[in-house]
Amino acid sequence: MSSGKTTRALQRIIESAATSDGAGVKLRRSLGQSPFTRLDPFLMLDEFSSFDANDYIAGFPAHPHRGFETVTYLLDGHMLHEDHLGNRGDLKSGAVQWMTAGRGIIHSEMPQQEHGRMRGFQLWINLPAREKMKPAGYRDIDPAEIPDVALPGGGHAKVIAGTLVSDGHSVPGPIQGLSTDPLYIDVALPAGAAFTQPVAIGHNAFIYVFEGSASVGAPATARILVTHAAGVLAQGDQVEVTAGADGARFLLLAGRPLGEPVVQHGPFVMNTREEIEQAIRDYQSGELTRPAG
Ligand code: MN
């Protein structure tokens, strides 16, 4: 604490639950299991990981979204994304697809392999009311655009969104300047290594461990976060994580909360019941994806 900074404590653990989505893709859902496991502005986090094609090959055939953003980060495998606007993205290991559904998108997300491991994450980030009906947008981020930073205490960090501060240097990721100002970092630490990162005061933050385990918080009050669990952090101005005996690999996510009502019906996330009913009508009539104007 010599820096005078307040380290965020691990406040709540959300164990992931096995479920399936799309055409039967097996996955683990931590945030978003219920309305009580969201962390504004984050709505949902799914981890998918399997060596068995039967668990993933049917993928996510054409389906709609309205009112938020989906971020797909592929660790292993090969997935093809296509949407009604004609966007086509070929996601390979290490790539990210940042999709802003806005007023409406219909897309498919289909694995393009029949062997080997398929592993990655899909994160849903809410949009503020004023942006829920903006035109749909899409960005494919190549692994080469994602900085992979060697950390001073050992290990490395990939910066997908926001800015990593390491050894006094700021390393911006490719995604910047959104309303929710998201921080999305993939951190790999060897056994016993420590990682510290500033997080804006007032932003909500959580950690999702997907390999090994981590001790989260200031050393005197740190708590253990095991594999496949999300740890919601208390307020403070920095995050401190120390890897367990088998090392740790985790996502650090933070964002500016919207403080708005959330009404979700499957792939539609709006502020009111009426807006959800409108989204369903618009999907049924084709209005969801009709160009504005
Ligand atoms: Mn989707």
Side-chain angles (χ1 to χ4, degrees):
M1 301 292 282
S2 57
S3 59
K5 301 233 184 250
T6 315
T7 294
R8 289 174 176 243
L10 175 54
Q11 190 173 48
R12 178 187 183 195
I13 294 172
I14 301 171
E15 303 275 356
S16 63
T19 183
S20 71
D21 209 340
V25 178
K26 288 187 182 168
L27 47 84
R28 290 170 182 272
R29 181 162 296 163
S30 49
L31 265 67
Q33 293 168 30
S34 76
F36 308 103
T37 52
R38 297 179 185 132
L39 182 68
D40 187 8
F42 302 108
L43 299 163
M44 192 186 86
L45 179 67
D46 284 347
E47 175 190 9
F48 45 93
S49 177
S50 179
F51 289 94
D52 180 355
N54 293 320
D55 289 346
Y56 58 75
I57 201 70
F60 299 87
H63 60 277
H65 293 288
R66 173 179 277 181
F68 62 102
E69 305 191 88
T70 73
V71 182
T72 307
Y73 176 30
L74 203 59
L75 293 173
D76 302 289
H78 180 185
M79 180 124 73
L80 185 67
H81 161 268
E82 290 179 285
D83 67 31
H84 78 279
L85 297 168
N87 294 311
R88 195 169 188 276
D90 201 4
L91 252 70
K92 302 237 170 66
S93 298
V96 170
Q97 179 216 85
W98 199 287
M99 198 276 291
T100 306
R103 68 184 298 273
I105 199 154
I106 294 178
H107 73 167
S108 62
E109 299 153 294
M110 301 299 289
Q112 297 296 298
Q113 63 184 68
E114 293 177 3
H115 305 286
R117 190 179 205 183
M118 176 69 74
R119 181 165 73 144
F121 299 94
Q122 187 164 90
L123 176 72
W124 288 14
I125 309 178
N126 208 356
L127 285 170
R130 67 180 182 280
E131 294 181 23
K132 282 184 178 293
M133 294 297 279
K134 74 180 184 182
Y138 161 83
R139 184 166 167 193
D140 225 357
I141 303 164
D142 190 78
E145 295 178 68
I146 299 171
D148 191 356
V149 182
L151 298 170
H156 60 103
K158 294 183 181 182
V159 193
I160 294 165
T163 299
L164 175 82
V165 179
S166 176
D167 221 2
H169 300 283
S170 293
V171 183
I175 296 288
Q176 300 282 334
L178 304 179
S179 298
T180 50
D181 195 16
L183 178 69
Y184 190 153
I185 302 176
D186 169 6
V187 183
L189 299 178
F195 168 81
T196 303
Q197 163 71 23
V199 172
I201 290 174
H203 287 200
N204 285 331
F206 73 101
I207 284 168
Y208 183 83
V209 176
F210 59 97
E211 286 179 17
S213 67
S215 171
V216 180
T221 53
R223 291 173 67 192
I224 302 295
L225 194 58
V226 299
T227 319
H228 309 304
V232 175
L233 305 178
Q235 285 298 321
D237 37 24
Q238 67 178 15
V239 171
E240 273 185 69
V241 179
T242 303
D246 296 321
R249 194 152 176 210
F250 62 90
L251 305 180
L252 168 60
L253 290 152
R256 179 184 293 121
L258 299 173
E260 296 177 354
V262 175
V263 183
Q264 178 174 2
H265 178 78
F268 307 129
V269 182
M270 303 300 289
N271 300 110
T272 68
R273 193 70 234 163
E274 291 69 29
E275 289 168 344
I276 289 293
E277 287 162 7
Q278 187 66 53
I280 294 167
R281 280 197 301 275
D282 287 353
Y283 176 49
Q284 288 167 345
S285 70
E287 190 64 31
L288 189 89
T289 50
R290 196 160 291 150

